[in-house]
Each structure stands twice: as structure tokens, then as C-alpha cells.
Amino acid sequence: MSTVAGIAVSPDHWIGGRRVASGERFEDRSPIDERLLAEVARAGEAEIDMAVAAAAEAFPAWAALGPAGRGPYLRRLADLIDANVHRLATVECLDMAMLERSLRARVISRGARNYRSYADLAEAYEERAWHSNTTDNRVVRMPAGPAAVITPWNAPFMLSTWKTAPALAAGCTVVLKPAEWSPLSCSILADLTAEAGFPPGVFNVVQGIGEEAGAALVSHPRVRRVSFTGSPETGRLIGRAAAANIVPFTAELGGKGPLLVFADADIEAAAAKAAGQYDDAGQVCLAGTRLLVEESIRDDFLERFHRHTDAHVLGDPRDDRTTVSPLIHRDHLARVEGFVERARENGDRIVRGGAQPDIGGLFYEPTLVEPRSNESEIVQREVFGPVLTFQTFASEEEGIALANSTPYGLSAIVYTGARERAERVGRAVRAGTVWVNTFLVRDLTAPFGGMGISGVGREGGEYALDFMSDLKMLQIQEGTTG
Ligand code: NAD
């Protein structure tokens, strides 16, 4: 057992309802001060095989419970998450440096909402039924089987609940592999499933390195669904592995979202929201990292944007005054630095930031880059750090064209005061989610996913329940049954 800020967290796997260790371990360090938090079990093929076997064994009974039988488990788990917000927020903050006050106020409890909401949705499902010619017809959802769930480091608890909730509600059993840079909150989640009375093998957590444990999991022949969130590079590998076994997969991948500001918008609100894209050190897939501003308001917008950005406080994520935390890992900091260095060499203009601040640690200054051209790497590739680009446009058409000019298509933010423009631009921008005059508002029943290299498939609401099910067509010849 490891102890993190006085909280006991198991560094081992959770397989078949018990803790399982591995011969090898990897180090998990806090981004706050790089102190060692835990030596975490490092799964190889044997542990993955054990976890998938446990999930396969538990599957028939879990599937047979039906939505009404499974609902109470999910709701008990949700209640336990709510009762453990403090513990989960403390560990998650130390493990990946998200602001502790956000974790306490909303991020952890969103995990509870995920389980409650999917329990409700699965129970409320009405089979499509109709009569045609000579048969009574029904569309029946059958639970798909053991599901592999792989999550990234940037919102490990929330994303793991977002993906495992529909799987469990639909009747799948789960093997979850969290990211190796922030593995701890999912270990607590495993304990809570035990406390909620989940039968052994329904929910399994295997810790390990992506190329080892992750690769073994997604290519395991007994896995019937793969649900992945992470980078497009890994998404390609996972898609290939799933295709080899003819297994459906969803991939929620990276983003390079535009934040479009039209001259008719509330410029102050838009500038404040733009500066807010540095929150969580920009390690947010949905962030609007490309600021696209109508030429006529350039100076006004920039003046306000700089004022809001100047107000950011870089510091310890446990401190309530902090607004920008350290980056997740020294390797990730080097990656962010590499992007900005290459931008400099390319002749892009660093408008602000562009260096590590003088406070030590894994921080990077909120950075704004005015690219030499729209083809610059800093515009075309996801940095996943506190780095935004700034470009202007002269017309709505040009703004839309710039918004749609990268291979990504996860999300977009539009600021305009005109309803018709909101509709027009909102429909024309190629992104899975478009927010107009707002950001990060999420309806759990809405479809969520990316276009282009931002992903394949849709999560959220019925979409995720359908994905975790095999849809069956049942036809009964009329007049042949009593
Ligand atoms: P990553 O792709 O490096 O890793 C994600 C997960 O995949 C980790 O658990 C990792 O261990 C595992 N993995 C790595 N190689 C693997 C392989 N060969 N086979 C199986 N699993 C493997 O991504 P990351 O750096 O952890 O996360 C950041 C990325 O995630 C960014 O691109 C970000 O935009 C994206 N993201 C997307 C969303 C979304 O909803 N679309 C949400 C959060 C993060």
C-alpha cells in the first residue's frame, strides 16, 4: 500500500475482485514537486490475460441482470464517489496537478453523475418496436462482452468514469488501463466498486505502460469493445489492433480547437474566455487554442486578452489562488518547449511567454504565438500546453476557412452577438462540439466525439450505450405464437 498525503492508495492491479501485484513496477511522480508518490505495478501480457479472463467470466451474470438489476450498483458507486470527493480530489491533484478546487467543486462529482446518468438512461431505454407485413419487429440491445477502456493522464478519474459508466450500464464488464503518469485515482475507484458490492471481475483495473499493458489489452482476442481516449498517434495503433480482431472501437483523440471572435461579439467576455484557455496549463483536449479574431477588433481584443492573462497566477494546484498549474511531466514540458522553439526558428512571432518562468518546477509561461503562416506547425499540431496562437480574419468566410484548416475537429468556440451568424458559423465549422458564447457546457445525453483526426465514433448518452451493445433485430412471424 502507498500513502499519498495520508491517504492509502493501492499501487497494484485490481483483478477479479482482489489486488494483484506484478514483478515489475514503474515510478509515479507528482508534477507538483516530482516527488515519488508510488511504485506502481507494471502489467505484462500475463496480468492482462488474467484481467480479461476475469471480465469474461463475470460477463454472463452481469449481462443477465439487465439494466434494472445493474442500476443499483451504479448508483451505489455514484454515492460512494460523492462521499469520497475529498480523498479523490487530494490524490488526483497530487498525481496530475489539476487545480484542487476544481476537482473538489465539480470534476470528481461529475464522475458520480456519469454513473447515475447511465443507470437512468439504460433503464429508460425503450426497444424500437413495429409491425410490418407479417412480422412483429424489435430492436434489442445485447451487452457486447468484456470492454477494454484506455484513458489519458489529463483527466484520469473523470474520463475513466465517463467511459466505464456506459459500459457497465449496458451490461459489459470492464478492464480499465489508466495512463502511467496519473494512475492513482482509478485505483481508488476500484476500491469503491468493491465497497459498492460489484461482483468480482465486473470492474478490473490494470496498471502499466501503454506500449506494453495497453497494447496487450486492446489486441486481446476476448475483448469485444475498445474505448480509447488519448492522442491520434496512439489512436491509430489502437484502431489497427481492434480491426485485427474485428472489434468496434471509439477513439476520442486530440484537438486544436479554434476560438473565433467576431466584431459583433461581447469582446470582453471573449477575451476573458480566451485567457481562460490557459487553465489547467492548457492540457485540455477541448481547449480553443487557435484564437481567430476579426481584424477590425484586433487591438481591442489583444489589450483585453493580455489584461486577463496577466491576472493568471502560476503555482501549486492545492493553493486556491493558483490558476495555472505545472505541466504533468518533465518529458511533456520538453515537448511543449520543443514546439515553441521550432516556432521561433520558423519565424513565428512569440507575442508573450515562450519560456519557463523563474519559479522552478514544471511550469511554462502562458504563451501567445502569432504564426508566420497558417501552415506553421504551431497552428497545425496540438501542443497540449499553455500555448495559444493568434490570427486575424477579414470576413466570416475567411474565419470559417481558418477554423476548418487543420486536420483536427474536436471542438470549437464562437463568440458573436448575432443569432443568425451563430447558426451559420456553428453549422459550418467542422467540429464534434461547437459552443457559441460559452465553453465546456456539457449535457451528458449529447453526442460527444471528434471529426478528422480528433476521433472515431461518438460517446455520450444513448450513443455510448449503443456502442457498448450489439443491436439485434428480432422478428416474430405473426399468428404463430400464443
Ligand atoms: P497517449 O495516446 O500517449 O496515451 C493515452 C493512453 O494510451 C495511456 O493510457 C497510454 O498508456 C495508452 N497507450 C499508449 N500507447 C499505447 C498502445 N500502443 N496501445 C494501447 N495503449 C497505449 O495520450 P496522453 O498523452 O496520455 O493524453 C493526451 C492526449 O489525449 C492529447 O492528444 C489529448 O488531446 C487527448 N485527449 C482527448 C480527449 C477527448 O475527449 N477527445 C480527452 C482528453 C485527452
Side-chain angles (χ1 to χ4, degrees):
M1 196 60 87
S2 302
T3 305
V4 175
I7 297 166
V9 186
S10 171
D12 291 336
H13 316 295
W14 176 255
I15 299 176
R18 64 187 181 90
R19 289 289 170 187
V20 174
S22 283
E24 290 192 48
R25 296 194 170 263
F26 65 91
E27 287 189 346
D28 174 38
R29 293 185 175 273
S30 174
I32 299 173
D33 50 12
E34 295 185 273
R35 110 177 76 138
L36 184 67
L37 294 177
E39 303 222 0
V40 181
R42 178 171 176 166
E45 281 181 19
E47 293 90 330
I48 292 295
D49 206 40
M50 196 190 294
V52 177
E57 197 179 319
F59 173 67
W62 183 248
L65 282 178
R70 292 186 291 266
Y73 292 93
L74 273 74
R75 293 192 184 92
R76 276 200 298 276
L77 179 57
D79 291 346
L80 283 165
I81 291 170
D82 278 338
N84 283 277
V85 165
H86 179 83
R87 189 173 153 214
L88 285 159
T90 303
V91 169
E92 186 95 315
C93 175
L94 278 163
D95 207 13
M96 54 77 66
M98 187 183 277
L99 298 179
E100 193 166 5
R101 65 172 181 281
S102 316
L103 287 161
R104 290 224 165 107
R106 54 184 176 81
V107 180
I108 300 294
S109 55
R110 163 71 195 279
R113 280 210 295 136
N114 286 336
Y115 289 113
R116 265 188 214 108
S117 152
Y118 276 105
D120 292 348
L121 272 175
E123 285 174 7
Y125 178 64
E126 283 181 25
E127 291 178 352
R128 200 181 141 214
W130 71 102
H131 183 83
S132 65
N133 292 333
T134 61
T135 53
D136 284 322
N137 309 307
R138 276 182 175 274
V139 179
V140 177
R141 270 183 183 161
M142 280 192 83
V149 175
I150 301 211
T151 46
W153 50 259
N154 71 316
F157 183 78
M158 202 290 286
L159 286 171
S160 297
T161 62
W162 170 242
K163 297 168 96 63
T164 59
L168 294 166
C172 294
T173 50
V174 165
V175 180
L176 164 66
K177 195 210 79 68
E180 50 270 50
W181 282 350
S182 54
L184 298 184
S185 55
C186 288
S187 186
I188 299 179
L189 181 61
D191 290 335
L192 297 183
T193 62
E195 217 176 314
F198 278 60
V202 168
F203 184 89
N204 305 276
V205 176
V206 183
Q207 305 284 10
I209 309 299
E211 294 77 359
E212 302 166 4
L217 176 59
V218 296
S219 54
H220 197 289
R222 295 179 81 182
V223 159
R224 298 319 305 156
R225 287 294 184 274
V226 174
S227 173
F228 171 69
T229 298
S231 63
E233 293 73 25
T234 310
R236 284 193 181 95
L237 297 175
I238 287 182
R240 261 181 231 143
N245 290 334
I246 321 215
V247 167
F249 78 105
T250 52
E252 305 290 349
L253 307 175
K256 192 72 189 175
L259 191 159
L260 284 149
V261 187
F262 288 91
D264 58 20
D266 177 342
I267 301 170
E268 178 63 14
K273 195 59 80 183
Q277 304 305 305
Y278 293 124
D279 291 358
D280 291 315
Q283 301 169 127
V284 178
C285 56
L286 297 165
T289 52
R290 291 181 295 132
L291 309 184
L292 304 175
V293 176
E294 196 162 347
E295 180 61 47
S296 60
I297 56 164
R298 176 197 166 100
D299 293 345
D300 187 5
F301 174 87
L302 276 177
E303 188 267 315
R304 293 168 195 262
F305 170 80
H306 285 307
R307 178 162 44 77
H308 285 289
T309 304
D310 289 343
H312 271 305
V313 179
L314 278 62
D316 190 317
R318 292 167 294 188
D319 186 332
D320 275 350
R321 288 162 301 183
T322 298
T323 62
V324 177
S325 346
L327 297 180
I328 179 77
H329 195 277
R330 194 158 281 281
D331 292 352
H332 189 58
L333 173 63
R335 183 176 180 273
V336 170
E337 283 177 322
F339 270 106
V340 177
E341 282 322 304
R342 289 193 297 280
R344 260 198 197 98
E345 285 159 18
N346 183 52
D348 302 328
R349 193 168 75 87
I350 312 300
V351 179
R352 70 176 295 151
Q356 271 203 274
D358 217 3
I359 53 174
L362 303 180
F363 292 96
Y364 198 76
E365 285 175 349
T367 297
L368 187 69
V369 180
E370 195 163 0
R372 194 162 61 95
S373 105
N374 192 50
E375 302 317 310
S376 293
E377 182 199 43
I378 201 81
V379 179
Q380 293 294 326
R381 283 193 60 201
E382 181 186 43
V383 177
F384 218 52
V387 179
L388 307 179
T389 58
F390 178 82
Q391 295 166 276
T392 58
F393 58 86
S395 66
E396 186 177 300
E397 294 67 33
E398 193 191 353
I400 292 168
L402 282 172
N404 290 344
S405 68
T406 77
Y408 299 87
L410 187 60
S411 61
I413 308 167
V414 179
Y415 272 83
T416 175
R419 177 73 198 205
E420 284 186 3
R421 196 199 295 277
E423 292 280 349
R424 224 170 29 235
V425 176
R427 285 168 195 279
V429 169
R430 193 170 51 87
T433 302
V434 180
W435 284 290
V436 181
N437 301 332
T438 185
F439 179 48
L440 285 187
V441 177
R442 290 289 297 279
D443 177 334
L444 299 191
T445 63
F448 177 78
M451 301 183 187
I453 65 166
S454 289
V456 174
R458 289 292 175 271
E459 298 190 322
E462 300 290 343
Y463 307 89
L465 290 172
D466 274 348
F467 171 70
M468 288 293 175
S469 312
D470 281 314
L471 292 185
K472 172 166 46 192
M473 185 64 203
L474 175 63
Q475 295 185 284
I476 301 176
Q477 177 68 33
E478 67 178 8
T480 60
T481 52

